[in-house]
């Protein structure tokens, strides 16, 4: 459907003063969508929710396929723990429930709120990459700090026992489990994703929702990939050392403590909340060097992982016992 051949919806006149034929292909399709729906709030809300669902499940499907193929076990961080079809299905149902009860209303309300703060939605043409790139980097940094602080809070007694414990159901996470969480946690940690754009909007007044969409897509990829349970030679943290990735976050699920950040490693390093993780990696490196056969390395790895998980279960039990007493795990 070409935007230049569309009759504007009566009463909207969104693009009355815009030469649609001068826009890029994407810009024309963008305008066509808003003209077709006729109501900018509905058009934005619907597009936002569809984007989230398509990207979330679209990115999760490759990990489901990988989990079903033994060939990829060599790169699985906890190779003895492969999610079953039943676990995948139960996780999917829970995620869909939170998507429709928590995320759908939040997505729908976000954009009218942001527009009042100065965000562009239906507007064309789009901002350049030179404008969008630093904005997206700010969103990454803001969310990472917000998540680090909130995630640590969720590991305290009451918040963990009644909220965050649900997300820790899987000691070996998989892609679909990225948003498997208590509705309150979905709201709390999701706030870090949307507050960055809202705060930027309030102060700068030059944010386009396309930039937010790119940020959301990248954030979903980051969240799903960090829960994938796989560390490939080409994984991003091998290229960008301060990137977290699955290798960093998988330890958090296995050992319960340490590694509270999402995208970057620097807050955990600065505040020392990666000490056990670094000790674990050092043990794995030493064991790999000592192993004389692949089978021996597998045995070493299994033993080290079991010890880390056993320590994690003990730490988790201590946090639950401390519920209501203000105790905070390390």
């Amino acid at each position: 459907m070409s935007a230049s051949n569309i009759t504007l919806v009566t009463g909207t006149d969104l693009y009355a003063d815009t030469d649609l034929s001068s826009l890029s292909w994407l810009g024309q399709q963008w305008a066509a969508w808003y003209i077709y729906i006729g109501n900018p709030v509905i058009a934005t809300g619907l597009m936002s929710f569809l984007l989230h669902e398509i990207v979330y499940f679209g990115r999760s499907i490759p990990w489901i396929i990988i989990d079903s193929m033994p060939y990829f076990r060599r790169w699985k961080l906890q190779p003895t723990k492969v999610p079953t079809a039943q676990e995948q299905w139960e996780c999917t149902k829970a995620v869909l429930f939170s998507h429709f009860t928590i995320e759908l209303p939040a997505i729908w309300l976000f954009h009218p709120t942001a527009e009042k703060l100065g965000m562009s939605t239906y507007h064309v043409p789009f901002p350049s990459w030179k404008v969008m790139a630093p904005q997206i980097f700010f969103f990454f940094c803001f969310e990472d700090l917000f998540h680090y602080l909130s995630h640590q809070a969720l590991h305290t007694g009451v918040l963990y026992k009644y909220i965050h414990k649900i997300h820790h159901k899987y000691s070996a996470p998989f892609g679909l489990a990225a948003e498997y969480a208590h509705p309150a946690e979905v709201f709390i940690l999701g706030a870090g994703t949307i507050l960055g754009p809202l705060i930027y909007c309030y102060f700068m007044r030059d944010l386009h929702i396309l930039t937010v969409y790119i940020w959301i897509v990248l954030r979903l990829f980051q969240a799903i990939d960090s829960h994938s349970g796989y560390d490939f030679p080409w994984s991003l943290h091998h290229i960008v050392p301060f990137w977290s990735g699955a290798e960093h976050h998988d330890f958090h699920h296995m050992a319960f403590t340490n590694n509270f950040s999402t995208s970057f490693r620097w807050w955990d390093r600065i505040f020392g909340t990666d000490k056990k993780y670094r000790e674990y990696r050092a043990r794995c490196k030493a064991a790999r060097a000592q192993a004389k056969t692949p089978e021996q390395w597998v045995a070493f790895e299994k033993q080290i992982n079991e010890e880390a998980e056993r320590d994690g279960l003990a730490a988790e039990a201590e946090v639950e016992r401390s519920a209501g007493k203000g105790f905070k795990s390390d």
Side-chain angles (χ1 to χ4, degrees), residues 8 34 85 93 173 181 186-187 240 259 269 282 287:
L8 295 180
Y34 277 95
K93 290 190 293 183
V186 174
F187 180 82
V240 182
N259 299 1
R269 180 58 59 88

Side-chain angles (χ1 to χ4, degrees), residues 41-218:
V41 175
I42 294 175
T44 299
L46 184 59
M47 180 163 53
S48 302
F49 186 69
L50 288 174
L51 175 75
H52 181 272
E53 298 307 288
I54 291 170
V55 173
Y56 187 85
F57 290 104
R59 183 55 186 157
S60 296
I61 288 173
W63 294 117
I64 295 174
I65 296 172
I66 287 172
D67 272 328
S68 69
M69 302 174 68
Y71 171 80
F72 291 101
R73 298 287 190 277
R74 70 189 74 180
W75 294 298
K76 188 164 176 60
L77 291 159
Q78 300 184 60
T80 61
K81 296 181 180 180
V82 180
T84 65
Q86 181 65 22
E87 286 176 325
Q88 300 266 14
W89 174 236
E90 291 298 324
C91 179
T92 299
K93 290 190 293 183
V95 166
L96 283 171
F97 177 79
S98 67
H99 282 188
F100 280 92
T101 58
I102 302 297
E103 297 194 29
L104 177 58
I107 287 172
W108 211 271
L109 292 173
F110 167 75
H111 303 295
T113 303
E115 275 193 318
K116 291 183 181 298
L117 297 175
M119 184 179 70
S120 301
T121 54
Y122 63 84
H123 309 78
V124 286
F126 300 131
S128 68
W129 278 105
K130 291 181 179 180
V131 173
M132 292 192 289
Q135 294 172 343
I136 294 171
F137 181 69
F138 168 74
F139 301 156
F140 263 110
C141 292
F142 178 89
E143 192 281 332
D144 190 63
L145 177 59
F146 184 96
H147 190 105
Y148 177 81
L149 298 173
S150 301
H151 193 181
Q152 276 199 300
L154 287 168
H155 272 257
T156 59
V158 173
L159 292 177
Y160 180 77
K161 185 173 182 178
Y162 299 107
I163 297 178
H164 191 50
K165 182 178 174 67
I166 292 177
H167 185 66
H168 273 268
K169 176 180 179 180
Y170 305 108
S171 60
F174 47 93
L176 274 171
E179 292 185 355
Y180 178 82
H182 188 285
E185 179 174 344
V186 174
F187 180 82
I188 293 169
L189 296 184
T193 301
I194 64 175
L195 279 177
L198 286 175
I199 291 172
Y200 184 90
C201 245
Y202 178 78
F203 286 102
M204 305 303 294
R205 302 277 174 165
D206 67 344
L207 182 64
H208 196 287
I209 197 172
L210 176 64
T211 311
V212 180
Y213 283 170
I214 295 171
W215 151 238
I216 294 296
V217 169
L218 294 174

Side-chain angles (χ1 to χ4, degrees), residues 138-309:
F138 168 74
F139 301 156
F140 263 110
C141 292
F142 178 89
E143 192 281 332
D144 190 63
L145 177 59
F146 184 96
H147 190 105
Y148 177 81
L149 298 173
S150 301
H151 193 181
Q152 276 199 300
L154 287 168
H155 272 257
T156 59
V158 173
L159 292 177
Y160 180 77
K161 185 173 182 178
Y162 299 107
I163 297 178
H164 191 50
K165 182 178 174 67
I166 292 177
H167 185 66
H168 273 268
K169 176 180 179 180
Y170 305 108
S171 60
F174 47 93
L176 274 171
E179 292 185 355
Y180 178 82
H182 188 285
E185 179 174 344
V186 174
F187 180 82
I188 293 169
L189 296 184
T193 301
I194 64 175
L195 279 177
L198 286 175
I199 291 172
Y200 184 90
C201 245
Y202 178 78
F203 286 102
M204 305 303 294
R205 302 277 174 165
D206 67 344
L207 182 64
H208 196 287
I209 197 172
L210 176 64
T211 311
V212 180
Y213 283 170
I214 295 171
W215 151 238
I216 294 296
V217 169
L218 294 174
R219 173 72 180 98
L220 285 172
F221 268 60
Q222 180 277 323
I224 294 166
D225 290 356
S226 69
H227 286 82
S228 67
Y230 288 87
D231 182 37
F232 297 110
W234 55 87
S235 293
L236 186 57
H237 80 93
H238 293 296
I239 304 170
V240 182
F242 56 81
W243 184 255
S244 293
E247 185 265 352
H248 192 255
H249 191 65
D250 197 86
F251 179 81
H252 175 77
H253 276 263
M254 178 175 63
F256 182 74
T257 59
N258 278 205
N259 299 1
F260 296 102
S261 58
T262 49
S263 299
F264 310 118
R265 300 183 180 220
W266 50 56
W267 293 118
D268 284 300
R269 180 58 59 88
I270 290 171
F271 292 108
T273 48
D274 65 348
K275 181 181 178 181
K276 293 181 180 179
Y277 159 75
R278 286 186 284 121
E279 291 173 352
Y280 165 81
R281 296 312 306 175
R283 286 190 66 194
C284 288
K285 183 178 180 180
R288 186 179 288 276
Q290 292 173 6
K292 298 179 180 180
T293 64
E295 292 75 19
Q296 193 174 35
W297 157 241
V298 170
F300 285 160
E301 182 185 37
K302 183 173 183 293
Q303 179 183 349
I304 294 170
N305 284 355
E306 287 176 349
E307 290 176 4
E309 186 172 2

